[in-house]
Amino acid sequence: SAVISQKPSRDICQRGTSLTIQCQVDSQVTMMFWYRQQPGQSLTLIATANQGSEATYESGFVIDKFPISRPNLTFSTLTVSNMSPEDSSIYLCSVEDGGAAFFGQGTRLTVV
Amino acid sequence: GENVEQHPSTLSVQEGDSAVIKCTYSDSASNYFPWYKQELGKRPQLIIDIRSNVGEKKDQRIAVTLNKTAKHFSLHITETQPEDSAVYFCAASIKEYGNKLVFGAGTILRVKS
């Protein structure tokens, strides 16, 4: 399966600031996905990132809050903007490989 | 949109017993159903998946069954071991739309030795 690396693995941020999370894959993939996992909860899809086009956001998530870049077929970034304590979660990128979805190790974000 | 319900939320079994986790989905167009295991502080790991043209799939101690008519699918773990203790998530997607997964709420499985 694809090897997916996320950076940073964790961070503690001040409210009102922004954090950019990077996701690197060791092979070219058409779609990359960003999920949020709030403490003790399940995973919720934030958006789908396609190379060469704007990301597609799910209901409840907007580009101004979660801007996404997809400059090439192996890399994507998710920015969490103007953070509040409610944004404290694990953020995970995911790619499809061989018909199945695999996840990065996640970024644990704490907003204080 | 798709909605996936998962039961039970917690499950405790004795080592060696079987564990069954059930999920139902709402969108009849969903055709791909993976199961993930997530240990504390780790990423979700795919353990088994099934497509809608198959009714059952087995991999050693793990099996998944799918009932398309009733729109439910289940994970079966036999001969449970303490290392099976984790949170298990079911999910559903429409393959033609990529792997945009809708997850169930998760089941905390505890295997007591």
Side-chain angles (χ1 to χ4, degrees):
Chain A
S1 62
V3 176
I4 307 166
S5 302
Q6 265 185 254
K7 290 195 296 187
S9 58
R10 58 178 63 228
D11 207 341
I12 301 173
C13 300
Q14 296 290 324
R15 67 177 68 201
T17 63
S18 297
L19 175 72
T20 296
I21 302 166
Q22 299 179 5
C23 182
Q24 179 77 51
V25 189
D26 68 344
S27 58
Q28 294 184 341
V29 293
T30 304
M31 287 188 281
M32 296 177 77
F33 304 90
W34 287 97
Y35 287 84
R36 181 176 73 182
Q37 187 173 27
Q38 294 177 298
Q41 303 295 313
S42 185
L43 290 83
T44 301
L45 180 65
I46 297 171
T48 303
N50 294 322
Q51 195 266 335
S53 64
E54 279 201 2
T56 304
Y57 289 83
E58 298 300 308
S59 177
F61 297 97
V62 294
I63 188 171
D64 290 346
K65 177 67 175 177
F66 298 102
I68 287 171
S69 78
R70 183 79 200 274
N72 58 53
L73 291 174
T74 63
F75 187 78
S76 178
T77 67
L78 169 75
T79 299
V80 186
S81 302
N82 188 25
M83 289 184 285
S84 66
E86 292 71 37
D87 294 320
S88 297
S89 292
I90 299 172
Y91 293 86
L92 301 113
C93 67
S94 171
V95 303
E96 178 175 327
D97 184 20
F102 297 92
F103 289 86
Q105 74 270 35
T107 296
R108 183 179 294 272
L109 171 62
T110 302
V111 183
V112 297
Chain B
E2 176 65 279
N3 181 53
V4 178
E5 294 190 358
Q6 183 172 345
H7 300 280
S9 57
T10 61
L11 179 60
S12 291
V13 299
Q14 203 66 35
E15 181 178 0
D17 287 350
S18 296
V20 180
I21 303 170
K22 299 181 179 182
C23 289
T24 60
Y25 60 99
S26 61
D27 190 344
S28 56
S30 290
N31 54 15
Y32 175 67
F33 308 93
W35 286 88
Y36 289 87
K37 174 184 180 182
Q38 188 176 33
E39 297 175 76
L40 192 62
K42 302 279 186 67
R43 75 187 78 190
Q45 295 275 12
L46 179 70
I47 56 173
I48 196 166
D49 57 10
I50 191 167
R51 285 162 172 76
S52 60
N53 58 346
V54 175
E56 183 174 358
K57 184 176 179 181
K58 191 172 182 181
D59 183 3
Q60 300 183 341
R61 297 187 297 110
I62 295 173
V64 57
T65 58
L66 171 66
N67 183 327
K68 284 191 296 182
T69 303
K71 289 190 281 190
H72 68 69
F73 56 112
S74 300
L75 177 71
H76 305 255
I77 305 174
T78 59
E79 301 171 26
T80 54
Q81 301 166 3
E83 50 266 38
D84 293 329
S85 296
V87 182
Y88 290 81
F89 293 99
C90 64
S93 75
I94 302 172
K95 287 297 286 180
E96 289 74 16
Y97 298 161
N99 253 327
K100 292 173 54 174
L101 297 171
V102 176
F103 283 84
T107 297
I108 300 172
L109 174 63
R110 297 190 184 94
V111 180
K112 297 174 285 187
S113 56

